[in-house]
Amino acid sequence: MGSATLKGLVPWLVALLTMAATHFLIVPILPSTLSEILVFAGINIVLAVSLNLVNGFTGQFSIGHAGFMAVGAYAAAWATLALRNAGIDLSDGTFIAQVILVGALVFGGLLSGVVGFLVGLPSLRLKGDYLAIVTLGFGEIIRVSLLNLDFLGGARGLSGIPRITSFLLVYLCVVVTVFVIWRLIRSNHGRALLAVREDEVAAESMGVNTTQAKVRAFAIGAFFAGIAGGLYGHYLTILSPAAFDFNRSFEIVIMVVLGGMGSLSGSVVAAVLLTLLREYLRDLAEYTQVDLRMIIYSLILIGLMLLRPNGLLGTRELKDFWRRRPTGKSA
Amino acid sequence: MIDFFQHVINGLSLGSIYALIALGYTMVYGVLRLINFAHSEVYMMGAFIGYYTSRMFQLDQNPSFMNLLLVMIVAMAGCAVIGFVIERFAYRPLRGASGINALITAVGVSLFLQFSGQLGFGADPKFYPQIYQPAGEWSVGGLQVNPLQMIVAVIAVVLMLLLQYIIFGTRLGRAMRAVSFSRDTARLMGIPTDLVISATFMIGSALAGAAGVLVGLIYPKIDPLMGVMPGLKAFVAAVVGGIGNVVGAVIGALLLGLSEEFVVAFGRSTFRDALAFGLLILILLFRPQGLMGQNLREKV
């Protein structure tokens, strides 16, 4: 590992330290509504960034991300509930609870990744519209299956999940997710993904195994979606299949599209923006009895596609603006 | 055995409604290569236009077949206008953009109609007025046939035959087939492609509007999210039959209606919604061009 590589790690370490400092110094004095918003923002960042790997960098259009989130959420919650029933104390804040949660998250993520792999293997031979519908269909199949699995609560859902997701853990996951995907798309494998996005036929003739590349992106995206799901379940303490319907998937898609398909920092910014938007629209939605944010989301989508089809940042990253240096067409 | 035929009849009548929606998907896909996600919301709007028309003229006071026809014509005309507006203002500016962009816009239009529908119509379900009540039950050798189901199926078949005539017997239909074959070539041959695409949207949307009214007759409970599931299933039906293929869409829809009815009959009704997607995935794996579709080779 050269010193240049080490130097590249510095921002990530700084980010980790900042998160830790925020957790111990700032979060305790924040009003609880604000820290709740921050936690949801973090979970949404993980979701958006992981979907961006599939939709933005690999150029596939998946609209079933909520399904993978559901797999991870249920698997992780099932694991911690099983451990608690075995007599392990999982009250909030203990170190052991955090360690167990990390284990449960990884378990949920891996299971979700396996599901992503299984889903991806057949369906990624399809293109564009068909793939979109199949991912939507798989998301729906996962939701219907959850409705019918009695040991996971069926339609009532799982409740009484220990609330052990902490700010620190969420943002640890955010940093790890962004780091892994950032490094991934700058590796050989990532170049293969970008090549698939730019021109699948050309990529294939250059020797890229396109199906494998796509399935890989899909499985990794599903893994991180599963982790986000685990965090979500252990924060809300209840899970129900209805929380993982189309609208959830579309919400994640909108974050990716708004931020720019192929821009990680765009996804982060969009995830935070849309989380805030949802919180502030909550009062208005209660007044009108209608989920106003979906109207606003849909107008954002249509407007974006007509006026700025590449999203806010396109394929650029925030630091490209900061350096004021012209960049190439693709990241 | 009687039970079996009963389920067949129920399945076919459900399938004929799916077929009316599926035709719109398949026609639009044929000319634009776009999955018009908003199509299921056009169907929902059709049901609501029918609902408000019946309420306004108080058509449930003296139910008759003429009332049904009147409501259907109003709903079809209204939906044609909606389809035209959607195409003109959401899809046409994106002509030539990548397929994904058009797809995202379609999803956006669909969500917009769903939720602004909730804002406009109210989110709670509404009961469809009984605008037409054929008397009694028809029974054929112990088989109970709800006349409403029969009439819905017959109307659906008539509309499909009409569509078949438009596509294969008129100048417009020929132009539509030409555009679907190759839009650029069609334009070079002097076919006003934008006009043809608009017409295709309007015809497809009118069929969806008719389906909305017919559904209101059989399942008299409508709400702004009612289009989501039937819309997706109709799309699945279109893909199963071979998207872009009109006859295929009808066959796929009948197949789907039948298989759903039998899943419910075997007591697995909670799996009903997953069935369509399972079928879709199987078809895409083993016969991606659909039952009636032609295999198009990808060219570089």
Side-chain angles (χ1 to χ4, degrees):
Chain A
M1 195 187 274
S3 65
T5 321
L6 282 178
K7 209 175 149 196
L9 286 177
V10 169
W12 304 100
L13 292 175
V14 171
L16 274 183
L17 288 177
T18 317
M19 293 310 164
T22 316
H23 176 73
F24 290 112
L25 300 176
I26 299 179
V27 172
I29 57 169
L30 284 181
S32 62
T33 47
L34 192 58
S35 62
E36 191 180 310
I37 294 175
L38 286 177
V39 165
F40 283 125
I43 293 171
N44 283 338
I45 292 174
V46 175
L47 287 169
V49 166
S50 59
L51 185 66
N52 206 340
L53 179 68
V54 180
N55 286 18
F57 293 105
T58 320
Q60 308 303 305
F61 197 69
S62 159
I63 42 178
H65 218 48
F68 300 122
M69 185 187 174
V71 172
Y74 270 89
W78 177 80
T80 47
L81 284 176
L83 285 177
R84 192 175 59 183
N85 290 343
I88 296 173
D89 178 32
L90 286 175
S91 48
D92 183 26
T94 57
F95 180 68
I96 187 82
Q98 296 293 306
V99 173
I100 285 176
L101 180 55
V102 171
L105 290 180
V106 171
F107 171 66
L110 285 178
L111 196 66
S112 173
V114 170
V115 174
F117 176 76
L118 293 178
V119 170
L121 213 51
S123 53
L124 286 169
R125 284 164 48 198
L126 307 165
K127 293 210 170 74
D129 301 351
Y130 286 107
L131 177 67
I133 294 289
V134 169
T135 53
L136 198 155
F138 267 112
E140 202 48 15
I141 288 177
I142 290 173
R143 192 178 66 81
V144 173
S145 312
L146 287 174
L147 272 176
N148 288 291
L149 289 175
D150 283 334
F151 76 101
L152 290 176
R156 281 170 293 116
L158 275 184
S159 57
I161 306 164
R163 188 182 175 123
I164 44 181
T165 296
S166 61
F167 177 89
L168 182 62
L169 200 60
V170 170
Y171 280 88
L172 207 72
C173 291
V174 169
V175 174
V176 169
T177 309
V178 178
F179 175 74
V180 168
I181 292 179
W182 178 271
R183 294 304 304 159
L184 175 72
I185 53 179
R186 278 157 184 76
S187 71
N188 259 346
H189 298 301
R191 298 295 175 202
L193 302 184
L194 295 177
V196 170
R197 175 185 74 187
E198 294 301 326
D199 190 329
E200 210 174 318
V201 179
E204 199 154 13
S205 53
M206 295 318 258
V208 174
N209 185 341
T210 52
T211 303
Q212 198 188 63
K214 287 190 277 184
V215 170
R216 205 174 273 164
F218 217 67
I220 296 171
F223 172 80
F224 285 113
I227 290 204
L231 291 169
Y232 176 83
H234 287 90
Y235 192 76
L236 269 192
T237 73
I238 46 168
L239 287 177
S240 70
F244 303 101
D245 58 0
F246 301 138
N247 290 343
R248 166 76 59 175
S249 292
F250 286 140
E251 206 178 325
I252 311 169
V253 168
I254 291 165
M255 288 172 193
V256 173
V257 174
L258 178 67
M261 293 199 281
S263 166
L264 286 186
S265 41
S267 289
V268 174
V269 171
V272 174
L273 274 181
L274 287 183
T275 314
L276 291 176
L277 181 71
R278 179 170 64 181
E279 290 308 319
Y280 291 111
L281 282 177
R282 189 160 280 174
D283 296 336
L284 201 57
E286 257 161 41
Y287 176 70
T288 54
Q289 301 288 314
V290 174
D291 207 351
L292 276 180
R293 87 200 140 121
M294 292 311 289
I295 298 183
I296 294 180
Y297 283 180
S298 55
L299 287 177
I300 291 177
L301 265 190
I302 302 171
L304 264 181
M305 284 303 111
L306 295 179
L307 304 172
R308 203 176 164 81
N310 294 324
L312 292 180
L313 294 186
T315 56
R316 287 171 295 184
E317 299 291 348
L318 275 180
K319 77 180 173 70
D320 298 337
F321 294 89
W322 177 44
R323 279 183 185 161
R324 295 182 185 285
R325 200 179 60 185
T327 50
K329 265 185 187 163
S330 55
Chain B
M1 207 55 201
I2 292 287
D3 268 2
F4 176 79
F5 283 111
Q6 193 72 58
H7 290 310
V8 169
I9 288 176
N10 291 347
L12 288 179
S13 108
L14 181 66
S16 59
I17 290 174
Y18 286 155
L20 283 180
I21 312 175
L23 285 170
Y25 276 111
T26 221
M27 286 169 65
V28 166
Y29 191 88
V31 295
L32 269 189
R33 298 283 175 269
L34 163 76
I35 297 175
N36 179 16
F37 267 100
H39 192 64
S40 51
E41 274 54 57
V42 173
Y43 151 81
M44 176 272 288
M45 297 295 273
F48 272 93
I49 293 175
Y51 172 80
Y52 284 112
T53 318
S54 330
R55 291 292 295 273
M56 195 197 290
F57 298 109
Q58 299 190 325
L59 293 179
D60 50 340
Q61 300 292 340
N62 45 352
S64 75
F65 188 66
M66 284 314 288
N67 285 352
L68 174 62
L69 278 188
L70 174 74
V71 169
M72 262 181 57
I73 288 168
V74 173
M76 286 172 78
C79 285
V81 172
I82 294 171
F84 173 79
V85 170
I86 292 175
E87 193 276 329
R88 181 65 190 81
F89 293 103
Y91 299 150
R92 191 176 297 179
L94 285 170
R95 207 68 50 78
S98 87
I100 293 289
N101 286 357
L103 190 67
I104 295 173
T105 314
V107 172
V109 173
S110 161
L111 288 179
F112 177 73
L113 288 177
Q114 276 171 30
F115 287 92
S116 51
Q118 288 197 350
L119 201 62
F121 307 137
D124 41 324
K126 296 196 165 25
F127 284 93
Y128 218 80
Q130 285 292 329
I131 47 174
Y132 177 50
Q133 284 165 310
E137 288 251 313
W138 298 345
S139 68
V140 183
L143 204 62
Q144 297 292 311
V145 184
N146 181 351
L148 215 49
Q149 278 184 337
M150 248 9 233
I151 283 162
V152 165
V154 168
I155 293 178
V157 169
V158 169
L159 287 173
M160 286 174 221
L161 290 176
L162 193 66
L163 178 71
Q164 197 71 5
Y165 169 70
I166 292 177
I167 292 179
F168 290 100
T170 63
R171 272 171 69 86
L172 174 66
R174 198 187 306 161
M176 277 161 56
R177 281 180 288 142
V179 171
S180 127
F181 195 72
S182 164
R183 202 192 313 156
D184 289 332
T185 316
R187 189 164 45 229
L188 290 173
M189 297 296 134
I191 294 172
T193 48
D194 279 343
L195 213 65
V196 172
I197 290 171
S198 285
T200 312
F201 262 88
M202 290 171 75
I203 295 173
S205 302
L207 291 177
V213 172
L214 294 179
V215 155
L217 280 184
I218 311 187
Y219 310 100
K221 212 167 136 189
I222 59 172
D223 68 90
L225 297 182
M226 67 185 271
V228 180
M229 265 301 150
L232 284 171
K233 286 175 188 163
F235 171 76
V236 171
V239 174
V240 167
I243 194 147
N245 184 310
V246 171
V247 179
V250 175
I251 292 176
L254 293 180
L255 210 64
L256 186 63
L258 280 176
S259 39
E260 278 199 352
E261 177 64 30
F262 277 100
V263 168
V264 177
F266 288 123
R268 306 314 301 256
S269 54
T270 44
F271 280 107
R272 186 179 146 177
D273 289 342
L275 174 84
F277 296 111
L279 192 66
L280 173 74
I281 288 156
L282 283 180
I283 278 283
L284 287 178
L285 281 183
F286 295 110
R287 200 175 157 77
Q289 71 272 35
L291 295 177
M292 308 277 290
Q294 289 141 5
N295 200 358
L296 290 179
R297 251 172 209 293
E298 190 185 357
K299 283 178 235 152
V300 182

